[in-house]
Every structure is written in structure tokens, then in C-alpha cells.
Amino acid sequence: MELNPNLLLPEGFLLVSALIMLLVDLVVPDRRKNGLFAAVSFVVIAVTMFLVASTVTLEPQRAFNGFVKKDAMVVISQVFILLCGLFSVLMSYSYIEKFPLKHKGEYYYTLLFAVLGGMLLVEANEFSTLFVSLEVMSISVYILIALFKGEERSLEAGLKYFIMGSVGAAVLVYGLAVLYGLSGTTLYSGVSDVVNEAEITPALLLSVILVAVAFLFKTGAVPFHGWVPDVYQGSAAPVTAFMSAAVKLAAFVAFLRLFLPLFSSIATEWTLAVLAVAVVTMFAGALMALNQDNVKRMLAYSAISHTGVVLAAFVTVPALASFTVLFYLFVYVFMTVAAFGIVSLLTSRGFKGEDVQDWKGLLKKSPFLSFCVVVIFMSLAGIPPFAGFWAKFYVLLALVREGFVLTALAVLLSSLLSLYIYLKPLVYVFMKEGSELEVSFSSTDYVVVGFTSLSILVLGIFPKLVAELSLLSVASFLRGLS
Amino acid sequence: MLSAILLIPLLGALLVAFCRNEERVKWIALFFTGVELLLTLYVMFNFDPSRSGFQFVDYGSWVPDISVMYKVGVDGLSLVMLFMTTLITFIAVPSAWNYIKERKKLFYALLLLLETAMVGVFISLDLLLFYIFWEAMLIPMALIIGIWGGERRIYSALKFFIYTFAGSIFLLVGMVVLVILYGSTTGNYTFDITELTKLKLPLEVQKWLFWAFFIAFAVKVPVWPFHTWLPDAHVEAPTPGSVILAGVLLKMGTYGFLRFSLPLFPDAFKLYAPVVFVLGVIAIIYTALVALVQEDVKKIVAYSSVSHMGFVMIGMFSLNVQGIEGAIFQMLNHGLVSAALFFVVGVIYERLHTRNITQMGGLSEFAPKLATLAMVFTMASVGLPGTSSFIGEFLTILGGFKAAKWAGILMALGVIFGAAYMLYMYRNVFFLKPKVSKFSDLDLRELATLAFIAVLVVWWGFFPEVIMGFFHSYVSEILKVAGV
């Protein structure tokens, strides 16, 4: 027996804290809840982050008989997920001040559970852990969305996400079951030994397809993207930010950790399929975003388009793929949080500010926020000198290096298409006059938007920082495979 | 030294952004662009024109995992481009003085950011660094057009941004392919331009990469038929924006051809020269004809830019000493003359609030100083001997003749058309019967700026060697690299 429970100390701490909050929720008077719970959640996440970061090692470590495996990739991804949690808490505080919510306590500890699910998901090394952690994360997010139940569209979004997510989960569990049937074990390493030895059978292909479909669902790739715009638009902005950043990061990292070792033997077969999905996804996302005026919806389609780009990076050889994907995701976390952060900041009663036309004349109200708008949207478009450029550039480099020049061109053409979308906010903020948009300068959103925008700028000038994190992750991950 | 030149406008932009006094920012901008120009002059005086290769090289590691370096330096070509950039930005500040009345802080901050990006383009010795500046330049320029431009400013700003970005996509893919080819042949990945140019690519590969780079540069120049963004952008841009667009931005494209296309793909460059001759000749003649029928004075000057850039293109692709030297000289000269002409148009527009040529006339009665200086620039644009344009146009035509007689002949024809629309414009604006009742002459600031350019235009017209001395060795070197 190799339990090694110490390894899960940060997760344990997070879990216990969330449970305590659940109890405390019963006795705290309602009017003080928002501030108190936001502050406590912030501290809890920060402490967890510190605990996680202090365990970073290049040498992979296992716990619970290998059900869980931690290496640098896991730790760094977890830090990013926790970071998303922090941002989300900050944004939630001012969002709830603006849009009062009945269940403030529930909201915060559910958010902590979602973070916990994401953390477990990236370290899963076994099918049932994978499935359970994915569900912990997903169910928490369903609740988070539906908690704002005064809003009809929140309920609709929650329901939609729940139904879609359940179908995804069913598909995943079926695929995993078939894989278990083929190999007789649920551990990644055991399965990959069997699968890589065996002939490619229809059953194996079926299981791969099912698992892949489930992840495409989660990451919002075409043709499983239908829920994304409605859910992104219907959810509260802090929840959307969390979904778009942390959930996506966790799902992709889990995908990477499951797929690369497991299915490397049939890599050539699925390259073409993944490429096809990737190219269709990035163009579809960009095209559908073209005539959106609701910024959240627009960002949802842009998120689909970005998913396509990340997927394209998957087909390069394992080391390069993991590096590129991680780099992209790390940068994307900042961009997407910043983008939804600014939406959250600018939204006021009646959802004014969600529409890009409400952003008219922001320049006069806040030059600083206007500057952030430039940074955020130009970074999403992949224009230097912002971090988004490097993310895209690494994908290009990897693709061309592996001989996918046309795919590289497709990535760029899709960014040309989406350029028009990202220019729209700039047009409204800088080039049109007149608005009665409220800008609350005191809100904690301001901190989030400012911090993430500056990070995008700094990382754009020193991409080395992210590149080194990604390199470290990949080195550690590959060491664990051999 | 060059790093300082790169950083000073950035510093200025920050200072402007945090300055509390809206009136003071223009002085800050003038100061920083002035210091920038002085530093460039310092580099020019300390530059050794007899040596080939790059001087004042600064470098450091930047993104080591993909061997991207921070590396800047100048050779003869970069140096004159750098000089032109800092000179024209310095001129653009006073041209904004009266024109920009709102959001001055933002305007001057963007102008200074733009200067950093432009300077970066011309002094980068790392391919990716070059690309970053090349793209980064789009944001401030698009904002300048979009915020302070005319009625159709948003359309023009978007068109400018999207067109240029679309062109750059091919450049980016081409660059990546080039670097990876270099890496797979030498086993050593680098974005260093001096290293990359040592690679001898097979013609088959050169052909593809040539076009990838060509599209990006051609859009920027702009080469006919990629030019349609330019009249829109020019007409809508505020005066300082037009000054910089015509003065500097268009030259980034031609600079790209000389810096990258020629040394990297010399065989394809030679192979496709006739295609470029055809495009260049069409640009010269066609846009000159288009300019002839315009009523908007700014459009005339804008179309004349496309036409003049045609000379530069043919000069470069003629691949002989006269052609290339003429092209570089013409780049610099067109930068000055078109900047001055846009300045003049701006001055007129500020006073009359119209750019329609039919509503002007007889301005020379009210504004003799303006009329005199405008005459100098009109003559320069026409290519009158004694002005710097004459040298540029003459050399490019000579180069064109040597490479392909028909091209030379048609270029000469283009000069005649050029004379036609410029003189037509001058007559309608300054002579004929006055259609306005009052028009004030140049004030001291405007007079000083225009007179300064006029002096340079005439000075270089008589002593082109002052400038050409800087790039003789560069041109002989590049021709050697190209194997001519």
C-alpha cells in the first residue's frame, strides 16, 4: 500500500475549510455575509496556493496507489486554477454587491468546491478519480450558475449546462468503461501498457472517440459547442470567468495527461481527426462571433475559437504539444479573466454594460480601463507586444516544425477573422462618444482587471516567464511517463 | 545607444500619460521627439559609412527557448530610415499643434508609442523583434486615425488595421517556415537576420517564401492592387497621422523588401522582378490618372504617394546600383516631400474647413508665404532638377531603363502625369480667382517647420551625396549578396 496522504495536504485544507464555511454559513447574519465570506475564501485560496506552490518538485510523486500523481505540471496548473479562484472571488464580491444574491455563503463555498474539483482533475491518474473530480468541478459550476436564480437566464444557463454536462459525463464514463474492459485496470499506466501492446480494435477506437467527445464537450469544441454562448451569457460574469479560465485549463490538462501516454500508439490515426475538429472549431467560433454585440456572447464564441487553436497544438509531438498547450492555457487564463473581469466591472443593473454599444465613450470616463480594453482585446487577437501573441506564435512554431504549414496558416486566417470582433470594443471605447455607463472605481473588479491586464503586458514583453513554467511542467510530466 | 533611441519615446509616452497639464504635453512630446532626433544625428555622425555590416549593435538574450534575441543595430539603409523616422515624427508634433484639440494627452502618448514601434522596425536585427514592432505599430496608428480622423474615420481605421494585419499573416508564417528551414539545415535555430541571410535556399522554396513576404510588404508600401486602404486612411487621418503614414509607414514596406526579400530570396527576387515592374508601372500610371480627377486635395496627395512608391519598387527590383540607390534616396525624399504636402493640406484645411479643390483658389493672394513654400514642394514632387526628388526619380528611372527599357519609358511617362496633377492642383488652389474672402498666412511655427523641410529638400537636391554617402557600401554589399 502506498498511501502518501501528505501529498494531498493542500486539497485537504481546501476541503476542510469549505466544509467549515458551510457550517459557519448557518450562523452569520445575512448582511455581513458577502464581505466575510469573500475575505475568508480569499485567504483560504491564498493559503492553499502557498501550500501547493511549496510542494513543487520535478520528481513526480504518487499517492493512494497511484490514483493521484503530482508533478510540476500538476502543481503549476493547480496554482493557475487557484489563481482563477482568487480572481473569481474578488470579482464575485463586487458582482454580488451589485446584483444581490440570497445565498451568499453557498456561493462562496461552492466556488471553493469547484476549485477543489479542478485541482483534483489535473492530478487524476486513474479513471474513477478522473470522473469523480470532473463531476465535483462540474456540479459545483452548475450550482454556481443557477444560484443567481432571480435571473431567468441564469436558470436557463444552469439547466442547459447541466443537461449538456450530464450527457458529456455519460459519454465519458461509457468510454472509460470500455477501456477498463479492454485492459482490466483503471490506472493510466496500466491501461497504456495494455493499449499500446494491443492491436487497434473497433472497441479501442470507440473508447477513444467517446473519451475524446466528452472532453470536446467540456472544452466547447465544435460540434459540441452549442451550450457555450448561452451558458457564458447566462452566468454571472465571475462564474463565466472561472468557467472560461479554470474549467478549461483543468479539462485541457486532464485531457493532455490522459491522452498523450494512453493513445500515443494510435497518434497517427487521430491526428487528422483532431486537426479537422481544430480547424472547424477555430473558424466556426470566429465566424459566429462576427455579429454579436453582447460582449459575453462574443467572448464565448471567441473562447470556442481559442479552443480550436489549442486543439491544433495537440497534434504536434508529445513534448512540443504539452509545452505549447500549457503556454497557451497559462496565458489564456489571464486574458479571459481580464476580459470577463472588465465585463463584470462595467455591468450594472439591468445588465447594462454587457452590450458592447454601452461601452461608448468609456475613454472619457476611465482612460485606465480604456487602456486595459486595448491590452485585453489585442492580446486575445494575438497582436504583439501582448502575451496572446506569444501563445499563438508558439502554436505556429510547433505546427510548422511538425510540417503542418497549412494548419498554421489556418490558425492565422481564423485570427484575422476574429480580429474584427476584437476591434469592436476598441471602436466603441475610443471612437464613439456619449454614454451613461457607470464605472465603479472602488470595486474589487478593478484590482482583477488591472492586475491581469498588466500581467498580459508584462508577459508579452517577457514571455520567458511563462515559457519556463511550461518547460518545467513538460519536463516533469515526461519524466513521470518514462 | 540604439536601445536608448528605442526607449526614449516610450519614456516620453509614459510621461505624457501621467502629465496633469493638457497644455504641457505638446511641449513634452516636442522635447522627446527632439531628443530622439538629436540622438539619431549623433549616431549618424559617429557612423562609419565606409564599413559594411551593422554598427552600434546592442543585443541580449530575450526568449532563449526559441532563440529569439533582443538585437538592434544599423547599417546604411537602417540609418537613413531611422533618420527619416525621427525627423518626420519631430515634424509631426508641430503639425498636430492646432489640429488636435481634444484628448491631447492620449494623442501625444500614441504618437510617441508609434515612434518607438517605427524606430524598432528599422533597427531590429532579429526577425521576430522586427515582426513585433511591425505589428505593434498598427494599434497606435489605427487609434490615431479612428479617434481624431474625419467622418469615415472608423471605417478607415478598421480597414487599415485589417488590411495590414491580413498581409502580415503571410509574413509570420513565412518567417516561421524560414527559421525552421534554417534550423533543420544547420541544426541551429535562430531569428538573427545576419545569420539567416547566410542561408542559401533552393529556388523552389524561395518562390513560396518570396510571395509570403511579398504580400505583407506590398500591402504596406502599398503596391497596386493592394493600395485601396491608403486613400481611405490618408483622407480620414488627422494631419499628423497622414504625415507619418506617408512619411514613414509606407517605407516600412519597401524597407522590408530590401532588408529581407532581397538578401533572403535573391533568386526569386530576380525571377519575379518583371512582375513587380508591371505592378509598379501600373501603380505609377494608373494612380497618377486617378489623382488627376480627384477633387479632394488630400486624395490627390495620397494617390501621388502610391504613384511615387511605384518608382521605389521598380528601382529596388531593377537590381543595379542606380536603381537601388535611387530607391533608397527616393524613400527618404518622398518621406519628406509628402509629409510637407500633407502639412500644407492640413494648414489649408484648418483655415477653410474644406479640402475640396473647387472651393479654393487664389490663396496666393492671401498667403504668399504658404504659396511659396507649397510651390517648392510641388516642384519637388514633380521632380524638378534642384530638388531631392529629381535625384531619386532620375536614378530609379535610370535603374528601370537598365533592367527593362519599357519600364523606364513608362516611368518617364508617369513623371509627366505626375507633373500634370500636381500643377493642376497648385493652380487651382493658389491661383485662379479667389473663392474665399479671408485666409491667414502661415504663423511662425508653421513657417519654421515648412521652411526647414524646404531647406532639406533643396539641399539634398544639390548635394545628394550628403545622404547617399551613408548607403553606398550597403548597396554594393547587398548586390554582392544577391549575386549581381
Side-chain angles (χ1 to χ4, degrees):
Chain A
M1 284 296 266
E2 180 200 17
L3 279 183
N4 200 8
N6 285 340
L7 200 62
L8 293 186
L9 180 70
E11 289 84 347
F13 172 75
L14 189 61
L15 176 66
V16 171
S17 313
L19 290 174
I20 294 175
M21 279 167 72
L22 193 151
L23 291 176
V24 172
D25 187 30
L26 301 173
V27 294
V28 178
D30 195 49
R31 64 194 156 74
R32 299 180 56 187
K33 266 187 191 163
N34 193 20
L36 179 72
F37 274 87
V40 171
S41 313
F42 190 88
V43 173
V44 167
I45 295 179
V47 172
T48 314
M49 207 149 127
F50 175 75
L51 290 175
V52 170
S54 62
T55 59
V56 60
T57 53
L58 209 54
E59 207 51 58
Q61 290 173 298
R62 281 161 228 274
F64 300 104
N65 289 325
F67 274 37
V68 165
K69 188 167 83 178
K70 265 195 180 180
D71 51 30
M73 185 196 266
V74 170
V75 169
I76 294 170
S77 312
Q78 285 182 334
V79 170
F80 272 90
I81 292 170
L82 287 162
L83 198 62
C84 298
L86 274 189
F87 290 141
S88 191
V89 167
L90 285 176
M91 282 159 65
S92 303
Y93 172 74
S94 35
Y95 198 84
I96 292 175
E97 291 284 296
K98 268 193 285 194
F99 298 89
L101 169 73
K102 236 181 174 179
H103 312 278
K104 299 188 187 83
E106 284 92 330
Y107 178 84
Y108 284 105
Y109 57 75
T110 313
L111 185 63
L112 292 191
F113 281 121
V115 172
L116 179 68
M119 287 177 71
L120 290 170
L121 183 58
V122 293
E123 62 193 2
N125 195 33
E126 188 262 351
F127 290 160
S128 52
T129 319
L130 173 77
F131 184 72
V132 171
S133 51
L134 184 68
E135 286 306 287
V136 169
M137 180 175 77
S138 305
I139 293 172
S140 312
V141 175
Y142 307 147
I143 298 172
L144 284 178
I145 296 171
L147 265 183
F148 285 85
K149 57 186 170 190
E151 293 306 324
E152 205 172 301
R153 59 179 203 171
S154 286
L155 279 182
E156 189 195 319
L159 192 63
K160 206 165 220 164
Y161 193 33
F162 174 65
I163 293 171
M164 291 298 190
S166 310
V167 174
V171 172
L172 175 67
V173 97
Y174 192 72
L176 294 180
V178 175
L179 271 178
Y180 172 71
L182 290 175
S183 59
T185 172
T186 56
L187 277 171
Y188 289 1
S189 51
V191 179
S192 75
D193 286 346
V194 176
V195 167
N196 288 338
E197 302 279 299
E199 290 275 300
I200 301 166
T201 59
L204 177 61
L205 272 182
L206 177 72
S207 64
V208 175
I209 291 170
L210 289 175
V211 175
V213 163
F215 275 104
L216 293 180
F217 243 122
K218 271 285 159 229
T219 50
V222 174
F224 310 107
H225 65 286
W227 57 274
V228 179
D230 293 336
V231 173
Y232 274 33
Q233 188 190 1
S235 320
V239 182
T240 322
F242 185 77
M243 273 168 60
S244 171
V247 172
K248 197 176 232 171
L249 173 75
F252 263 121
V253 171
F255 197 18
L256 203 65
R257 295 175 72 79
L258 174 69
F259 261 67
L260 288 185
L262 216 52
F263 303 121
S264 54
S265 61
I266 51 165
T268 40
E269 275 81 6
W270 60 293
T271 297
L272 206 62
V274 174
L275 270 186
V277 171
V279 171
V280 172
T281 303
M282 57 194 153
F283 277 104
L287 275 174
M288 288 186 286
L290 279 181
N291 36 14
Q292 301 299 333
D293 273 340
N294 183 296
V295 184
K296 267 172 149 179
R297 246 183 132 68
M298 191 189 97
L299 285 171
Y301 283 115
S302 114
I304 294 175
S305 185
H306 280 278
T307 295
V309 179
V310 182
L311 276 178
F314 260 91
V315 299
T316 53
V317 288
L320 206 54
S322 348
F323 173 80
T324 322
V325 169
L326 286 177
F327 188 98
Y328 203 101
L329 290 171
F330 292 161
V331 169
Y332 186 71
V333 161
F334 286 104
M335 297 196 291
T336 193
V337 168
F340 284 108
I342 200 154
V343 177
S344 169
L345 178 65
L346 296 178
T347 322
S348 52
R349 234 163 268 280
F351 299 107
K352 198 171 170 48
E354 265 190 22
D355 205 289
V356 71
Q357 283 164 6
D358 300 335
W359 291 19
K360 263 190 274 188
L362 178 66
L363 178 62
K364 241 182 205 150
K365 295 243 161 89
S366 169
F368 176 72
L369 282 184
S370 315
F371 166 76
C372 292
V373 166
V374 173
V375 172
I376 294 164
F377 288 93
M378 289 296 100
S379 180
L380 280 168
I383 308 262
F386 306 116
F389 165 72
W390 293 98
K392 215 158 250 175
F393 183 72
Y394 274 104
V395 174
L396 287 185
L397 207 58
L399 283 173
V400 172
R401 200 163 158 178
E402 293 307 307
F404 302 106
V405 180
L406 283 181
T407 317
L409 204 58
V411 168
L412 284 174
L413 285 177
S414 77
S415 35
L416 174 65
L417 261 181
S418 42
L419 177 67
Y420 181 74
I421 317 161
Y422 298 128
L423 283 172
K424 223 178 199 175
L426 264 67
V427 167
Y428 280 96
V429 168
F430 284 92
M431 305 173 192
K432 299 206 170 178
E433 302 264 338
S435 93
E436 56 274 15
L437 194 70
E438 292 169 33
V439 183
S440 45
F441 290 94
S442 56
S443 75
T444 41
D445 281 332
Y446 217 73
V447 182
V448 175
V449 174
F451 180 78
T452 45
S453 302
L454 289 180
S455 303
I456 292 170
L457 186 61
V458 171
L459 294 178
I461 298 168
F462 304 104
K464 207 170 122 181
L465 303 172
V466 188
E468 273 171 6
L469 279 186
S470 318
L471 269 183
L472 187 70
S473 311
V474 174
S476 166
F477 174 56
L478 293 179
R479 189 182 289 200
L481 288 184
S482 56
Chain B
M1 191 66 202
L2 289 176
S3 301
I5 293 185
L6 197 58
L7 285 177
I8 279 176
L10 208 59
L11 194 73
L14 276 179
L15 213 66
V16 166
F18 289 105
C19 176
R20 278 166 188 272
N21 189 332
E22 278 269 323
E23 287 311 303
R24 205 176 292 157
V25 286
K26 60 186 181 191
W27 293 104
I28 299 178
L30 192 68
F31 174 76
F32 275 92
T33 50
V35 170
E36 188 79 350
L37 182 59
L38 288 179
L39 286 178
T40 308
L41 289 175
Y42 172 83
V43 172
M44 283 180 101
F45 281 118
N46 290 286
F47 181 83
D48 179 0
S50 59
R51 262 170 57 198
S52 66
F54 292 97
Q55 304 178 29
F56 292 94
V57 177
D58 271 354
Y59 63 94
S61 136
W62 185 24
V63 195
D65 60 301
I66 46 169
S67 3
V68 175
M69 274 200 303
Y70 167 78
K71 189 176 177 192
V72 292
V74 284
D75 61 359
L77 175 65
S78 307
L79 188 64
V80 291
M81 291 297 117
L82 173 67
F83 171 60
M84 181 189 71
T85 307
T86 52
L87 179 69
I88 286 174
T89 321
F90 181 65
I91 292 169
V93 174
S95 81
W97 224 255
N98 292 348
Y99 202 97
I100 304 298
K101 295 197 174 76
E102 284 179 327
R103 310 211 181 91
K104 292 183 188 157
K105 266 165 68 168
L106 182 66
F107 177 82
Y108 290 106
L110 287 174
L111 192 72
L112 287 163
L113 284 180
L114 188 61
E115 182 168 29
T116 291
M118 294 187 303
V119 165
V121 164
F122 291 127
I123 63 174
S124 294
L125 293 185
D126 182 283
L127 201 48
L128 198 62
L129 190 65
F130 166 83
Y131 183 81
I132 285 175
F133 286 123
W134 172 274
E135 289 289 85
M137 177 283 298
L138 292 179
I139 301 172
M141 193 67 222
L143 287 178
I144 287 179
I145 298 174
I147 301 177
W148 293 274
E151 257 167 46
R152 290 169 71 235
R153 60 183 193 275
I154 295 175
Y155 168 79
S156 306
L158 290 182
K159 191 170 177 182
F160 162 74
F161 202 126
I162 291 174
Y163 250 72
T164 324
F165 186 74
S168 314
I169 281 174
F170 297 95
L171 174 63
L172 188 59
V173 173
M175 272 167 47
V176 172
V177 171
L178 177 72
V179 168
I180 286 180
L181 277 177
Y182 180 88
S184 55
T185 39
T186 61
N188 173 25
Y189 289 88
T190 179
F191 282 86
D192 190 330
I193 292 168
T194 44
E195 292 298 317
L196 287 172
T197 45
K198 288 179 190 153
L199 184 67
K200 288 280 162 280
L201 292 164
L203 183 62
E204 271 313 299
V205 180
Q206 282 192 24
K207 278 182 185 170
W208 284 101
L209 289 178
F210 174 82
W211 287 112
F213 280 62
F214 181 88
I215 294 174
F217 298 146
V219 168
K220 199 77 130 208
V221 169
V223 177
W224 183 90
F226 303 101
H227 69 286
T228 64
W229 63 268
L230 182 123
D232 281 308
H234 265 315
V235 170
E236 297 304 320
T239 302
S242 305
V243 165
I244 287 188
L245 259 176
V248 185
L249 293 194
L250 306 189
K251 279 73 193 182
M252 284 166 57
T254 45
Y255 172 80
F257 280 115
L258 287 178
R259 174 63 71 224
F260 301 105
S261 301
L262 180 53
L264 286 171
F265 326 116
D267 304 326
F269 202 86
K270 267 174 264 179
L271 183 65
Y272 294 122
V275 180
V276 176
F277 288 167
V278 172
L279 295 181
V281 165
I282 295 178
I284 293 173
I285 308 262
Y286 167 77
T287 46
L289 290 175
V290 174
L292 207 49
V293 295
Q294 297 302 319
E295 289 197 339
D296 185 328
V297 280
K298 216 168 173 183
K299 267 203 180 143
I300 299 180
V301 183
Y303 277 110
S304 90
S305 284
V306 182
S307 184
H308 283 295
M309 293 316 279
F311 286 92
V312 179
M313 288 299 291
I314 295 178
M316 286 188 308
F317 277 79
S318 67
L319 279 175
N320 50 48
V321 178
Q322 293 82 3
I324 296 185
E325 289 200 346
I328 301 174
F329 192 80
Q330 178 70 356
M331 279 153 80
L332 186 66
N333 158 67
H334 175 257
L336 274 186
V337 174
S338 64
L341 284 170
F342 277 116
F343 196 112
V344 170
V345 172
V347 165
I348 295 174
Y349 181 73
E350 261 168 44
R351 289 161 170 73
L352 292 183
H353 299 286
T354 177
R355 287 190 301 257
N356 194 317
I357 201 164
T358 56
Q359 292 174 20
M360 298 173 191
L363 295 187
S364 61
E365 280 180 28
F366 303 101
K369 288 181 216 156
L370 176 66
T372 315
L373 283 166
M375 173 64 96
V376 174
F377 301 122
T378 308
M379 289 302 121
S381 181
V382 167
L384 192 77
T387 61
S388 54
S389 296
F390 172 71
I391 313 287
E393 276 183 9
F394 181 72
L395 283 175
T396 48
I397 293 173
L398 202 63
F401 252 116
K402 270 182 146 180
K405 283 214 169 52
W406 61 271
I409 293 169
L410 289 172
M411 283 165 90
L413 193 64
V415 176
I416 298 172
F417 284 129
Y421 64 76
M422 283 314 286
L423 292 176
Y424 164 79
M425 178 172 87
Y426 190 82
R427 181 192 67 158
N428 279 30
V429 173
F430 288 100
F431 297 139
L432 296 183
K433 261 202 192 114
K435 294 206 174 80
V436 290
S437 50
K438 77 176 177 37
F439 187 90
S440 53
D441 205 352
L442 296 174
D443 64 25
L444 195 62
R445 168 187 58 84
E446 292 160 341
L447 184 68
T449 317
L450 284 175
F452 175 56
I453 309 177
V455 168
L456 290 182
V457 166
V458 176
W459 181 29
W460 293 343
F462 283 101
F463 304 100
E465 204 50 32
V466 182
I467 291 301
M468 296 182 81
F470 282 106
F471 52 78
H472 285 317
S473 60
Y474 160 78
V475 172
S476 53
E477 184 68 17
I478 196 85
L479 286 172
K480 222 186 289 161
V481 171
V484 183

